Amino acid sequence: MDQPTDRWKRIQPVLERALELEPDQVGAYLDHACGDDAAFRAELESLIEADRAAPAFLDSPAVTLPRSVGSDRVLDGEQLGPFRVLHEIGRGGMSIVYLAERADGQFEQTVAIKVLIHDARSRDLAVRFEAERRILASLDHRGIVRIQDGGMTREGRPYLVMEHVEGDRIDRYCDANQLPVAQRLRIFRQVLDAVAYAHRALVVHRDLKPANILVTEQGQVRLLDFGIAKLLDPDDPGDSPPTRTGLRAMTPEYAAPEQVRGERITTATDIYALGVLLYELLTGHRPYAEDSPTPFALEQAILDADPERPSEAALRRTKSGSHTGRGDVEPEAIAAARATEPQQLRSTLDGDLDAIVLKALRKEPEERYGSAHALAEDIDRYLGSLPVLARRDSRAYRMRKFVRRHRGGVAIAAAASLLVIGSTVAIAASRETAQQARIAAEQEARTAREVTDFLIGIFGGSNPYETLGDSVSARTLLERGRERIATELVDQPIVRASLLHAIGNVYSELGRYESADTLLQQALELRRTQYGDQHVSVSRTVEALVDNSIARRDFALARGHVEQALTVRRAIGFDGLAGEANLLRSLSLTQRELGHVDSAFTTITRALAMDSTRGDSTSGSHLMRRVELAVTLRARGDFAGATRVYADVLPKLRDTYGDLHPNVSTAVNNAAFLLTRQGRWAEAVPLYREAVDVQRRIFGQQHPRVMQFQSNLASALIESGALDEGVDVLRERVLAAEGAWPDGHWRIGASYEGLGKALLRSERFGEAETALRAAATSYAATLGPHHSWTRVAEVWVVTAMTLGGDATGARALERGLQRLSDAPLDNDNRFNIRQIADHLEAAGFADLAERYRALVE
C-alpha cells in the first residue's frame, strides 16, 4: 500500500490540473490521466467533488501534516504588514494568492500576496524562509515579478508580497494572438533574458511552466515565483537536514530527470524546463505528457524515452483530455494558432529548431546548453539566419552516446588506429634524413636536452612532499622558471634565450603582456649576441614581439618590429612567401590601426597575392589574412565588400578550426563589429555573445581578450536598447580587471572608461564622472599624463561634468581641444572623439561638437 506522502505526490499534479479545467472537461482529462486505475480515479473524483462542495476543504493537503489551528482561515479583510487583503485571486497545491492594497496611507499600491499552506512555525524553517526571501527580493529585472516584502501570518504561515501583474499565460497569449514561430521565439527570448539574470544571481526557478510566465498586453514577459520553489521544497539537498515529506515542489510535466530522481537541482534543471516550454510553444504539445496515462508513466518517459522531434510532433493531433483541457485538436488548428499550415510548420521546425529544443531536453544535465545565455545565443543565431551551435553539436553528441554503448569495441579500434598511425610516422621519419640537416639537428638536440632538464627542475618543485599538498598553478610554475632563468644558465646563452622566448610566449598568451615583453626582449638580445641580426632565431623572437605588441595595442612599436622581422626574413630567405605573408598581415593591421587605411589595404592585398602564387586558398593562416582584408575593407567604408568576405570565410574557419578556437571567435567578433558600423546593433549581439563565450572558455574571465570582447558586447547591448544588461556586463569587466591587474593598471582604466561611457548614455552623470575619473587616473599613472589615451579620458570626464550641468566642464572642454590637437590618435581615440562630439551635439553644444569632429576628419 502506498504511504500517504507517496499517494499525495501522485495525486497532487493530476488534481491541480483537474481543478483548473471547466467541469465538462474533467471527465475526458481523467480518462487520459488515470487510464485503467479505477481506485486512483475514484479518489480523485471524491477530492474534486469535495472541492466543489466546500472549496476551503483543499486548503489542507490530503495527508495529515502538523499545522496551526486556523491555518485554513480565509484572510479577506485582514492586514498583513502595511497591506490589507481584498480577496483570493488564485490557488495551487501549496499556496493561496490574494489581491491586496496598501493600507498605511503612504501611497496607493495594489499587490499580490502569496500565502503558503505549509506550517512554518519551526525555527529552522522560519530562518530558512527569511534568508531565501531576502535573496529573492534582491532580484531586480524587468522580466521578473519583484518580491517586495514578506512575513508570517499570526498562524505562522509564511507569505510573500509581490507585484500584481495583469497578463495572460505565455502559451495562451501566443495562441490567442496567433503568433508565428519567429514571434514566439522572440517572446521566449525575453524569458531567457530573465532566467539568465537570475542564474547570474545564483537563483534557480525550479518550476518554470506557462502558468508561471505571464505576458502583458504590451508583449512584456513577466516571470512569477522565481526561486520560490526552493522555499517549498524541504527535500532540497542544499539545505540542512532534509525531511522526506515527499512534497517536492515541481510540476511533473516540466520536471527534469534529475528532479524526478530527487537529485541535486542546478541551473541545468531550469534549462530542461525551458526546453519543455519551447517545445510546447512551437508544437502545441509537450514532449511526453500526452503519451503518459499516469504520473508514474510520465516519470518513466522523462527518465528513459527520447522525445519526438518537434517537427514531427507538429503533425500530431492533441489527444482528448490532454493538457489543453479541450477535445481533440487537429494539426490544422495547432498550425493556425501559429499563422501557418501543418506542413509549413513542420518545415519551419525541421533542422535547426529541432536541434535547439532537443539539446535543451537532453537527459544528462551536462549535455544541455551550459546556460540560459547559451540557449538564447542559439535562438538569436537562428533568428539571424546563422548556423546554430546545437546542430553542430548533434553529431558529436550522437558519437558520445555510441561510445558509451560500445566502450570495448571503440577502445580496441582506437588502439589499432594508433598503432597504424605510429608505424606510418616512423616510416616517414626514417626517410627524412639528410646530411645538411644533421649538424643543426645535433645542436637542437643539445638545446632540447638542456631545456628539458631545466623544466624537470621546475616541475619537480610541485612534488606534494615539498608543497605539502598545495596545488601548483601554471602561472606559479612560470614564475619559478622566470626566477631561475635570472640566476641560472648564465654560461648557456642559447638555452637561456630559448627558455626566455618560450616563457615569454606563454605569458603573452596568458595576457601578461608587460612580463612577456620583458622576457622576449631579453631573449632577442641574447640571440642577437650569439647569432647576429640575420638569423632564423632572431626573426622568430622579433615576430613574437610583433604579436605581443599588437596584443598590448602598441601599434607603433609593433610596426617597427614587423619591419625588422621582414628585413631579417628577406635577408635569409626564411620560410619563403608563407612567412612573409604572415608578417604582411601584421603590418597591415598596424597600418590600419594607426590610421593609414589605404596603405593597410595595399599591404594585405600583397599578402593575399603571395598566397595565390603559392596556391594557398585553404590554410588557416590564409583565412585569417582574409579576415584582415575584411576588417580593412570595413575601415575603408566598403561594408558590402567586407560582408562578402565574412560570408565566405567564416564557415571555412569553422570547418578548419571548429567553433571553440580563438581564431574563429576573433573573426566572429570582427564580423559583429562590421554590423555595428552599419547600425545593425541587435544583429551584432548574438555574434558578440558567441565571441565572448568562446574566449572566456579558452582564456578565463580575467584575460584581456575576454574583457575587450565584453566591451564590444556591452556596446551592442546598449545601442540595441538593452542598457541595463550592457552596464551589468561592463561592471563584470571592471571586477575582472581589478582581480587581474594591480591597482592603477591601465587595463583597469580601460574597464572603467567603458563603464563610464555606458553610465553617461543612461544619463547617470555623477556615476559616469566617477568611473571616467578612475580611468583617467589609471592611464596617467601607467601610460603618462601626455599619452593620447590619458588626454581622451580627461575629455570624457569633463564631458560628463558638462552634461551633468557643471559649468566648469564646458570651459575645460576648450582646453581638451588644445591638448588633443597635437596628440597621435589611433582608431580607438578617433572613435572616442566622435562619440564625445555626438554627446555634445545632443546636449546643445553644436559648435564644440563640430570642432571636436574636425580633429578626426
Side-chain angles (χ1 to χ4, degrees), residues 791 815-825 833 852 855:
R791 296 183 186 187
R815 294 194 298 275
L817 270 171
Q818 296 171 6
R819 281 177 55 76
L820 290 177
S821 61
D822 62 345
L825 301 176
I833 291 169
Y852 269 95
L855 291 173

Side-chain angles (χ1 to χ4, degrees), residues 546-569:
V546 170
D547 293 338
N548 191 62
S549 299
I550 289 173
R552 291 175 66 191
R553 303 189 69 75
D554 191 339
F555 301 112
L557 182 60
R559 185 172 62 179
H561 288 319
V562 172
E563 289 167 351
Q564 289 178 42
L566 281 169
T567 299
V568 176
R569 277 183 175 274

Side-chain angles (χ1 to χ4, degrees), residues 517 520-521 524 541-550 561:
D517 187 72
L520 291 170
Q521 290 286 3
L524 179 61
T541 302
V542 173
E543 289 163 34
L545 282 163
V546 170
D547 293 338
N548 191 62
S549 299
I550 289 173
H561 288 319

Side-chain angles (χ1 to χ4, degrees), residues 553 673 677 708 711 715 749-750 752-758 760 772 775 779 788-797 799 820 825-840 849 852-853 855-856:
R553 303 189 69 75
F673 196 77
R677 286 297 170 267
Q708 180 58 49
S711 178
S715 295
Y752 272 110
E753 182 183 326
L755 175 60
K757 289 189 286 187
L760 205 60
L772 292 166
Y779 291 155
S788 60
W789 287 15
T790 306
R791 296 183 186 187
V792 171
E794 289 170 348
V795 174
W796 271 117
V797 172
T799 299
L820 290 177
L825 301 176
D826 60 21
N827 279 352
D828 286 339
N829 286 325
R830 290 186 176 87
F831 183 61
N832 270 290
I833 291 169
R834 291 190 187 97
Q835 284 186 311
I836 289 168
D838 290 342
H839 278 293
L840 293 175
Y852 269 95
R853 284 199 186 95
L855 291 173
V856 294

